[in-house]
Amino acid sequence: MRFIPTRFHGILDYVVGLLFIAAPWLFNFSDVSAATWVMVAAGILILLQTIFTDFEVGLIHKIPMQTHLMVDFGLGVILALSPWMFNFADRVYMPHLIGGVFAILASLTTHRRPSEAYSRRHATQDTIH
């Protein structure tokens, strides 16, 4: 069941991307190198992907929304499993697990296509250029 509008998903992506980048210092695990870099890399990937996605809040409209959602799903799986994959679960795992599950759920509940209004406006702009 997909009920999250793509516009809301995109705004949330910008917030979550920044939160992931800041998480090691906000949640006091910056002394765990692998945990820090996994979370920071995930945040950077989320921000870059959002900037390049073809939807209401994207800036460079290159990545289709369906591709964006598939990457979100894959990133969520990797992020959720990363404490055990990279052997830092004994020090920290909850931010990665929660962030990963969140990304998975967001990918499964967001509409696959941007709004009709965006699609019409974007199609009109494409024909003008």
Side-chain angles (χ1 to χ4, degrees), residues 16 19-20 23-24 26-29 32 34-36 38-39 75-85 87-104:
V16 169
L19 178 63
F20 280 10
L26 290 174
F27 302 116
N28 297 317
F29 63 88
V32 183
T36 296
V38 165
M39 192 62 89
L75 177 64
V77 170
I78 292 168
L79 190 58
L81 296 176
S82 67
W84 297 274
M85 288 171 40
N87 204 27
F88 57 82
D90 59 328
R91 302 278 311 278
V92 61
Y93 68 90
M94 200 55 79
H96 300 77
L97 182 60
I98 291 171
V101 169
F102 178 82
I104 291 167

Side-chain angles (χ1 to χ4, degrees), residues 62-121:
K62 297 294 181 190
I63 300 171
M65 191 64 201
Q66 288 182 307
T67 302
H68 176 116
L69 295 174
M70 286 189 294
V71 171
D72 278 355
F73 184 88
L75 177 64
V77 170
I78 292 168
L79 190 58
L81 296 176
S82 67
W84 297 274
M85 288 171 40
F86 300 111
N87 204 27
F88 57 82
D90 59 328
R91 302 278 311 278
V92 61
Y93 68 90
M94 200 55 79
H96 300 77
L97 182 60
I98 291 171
V101 169
F102 178 82
I104 291 167
L105 291 175
S107 75
L108 295 173
T109 57
T110 297
H111 294 162
R112 290 186 180 126
R113 289 186 165 68
S115 70
E116 283 294 319
Y118 169 80
S119 297
R120 277 195 307 271
R121 185 175 70 245

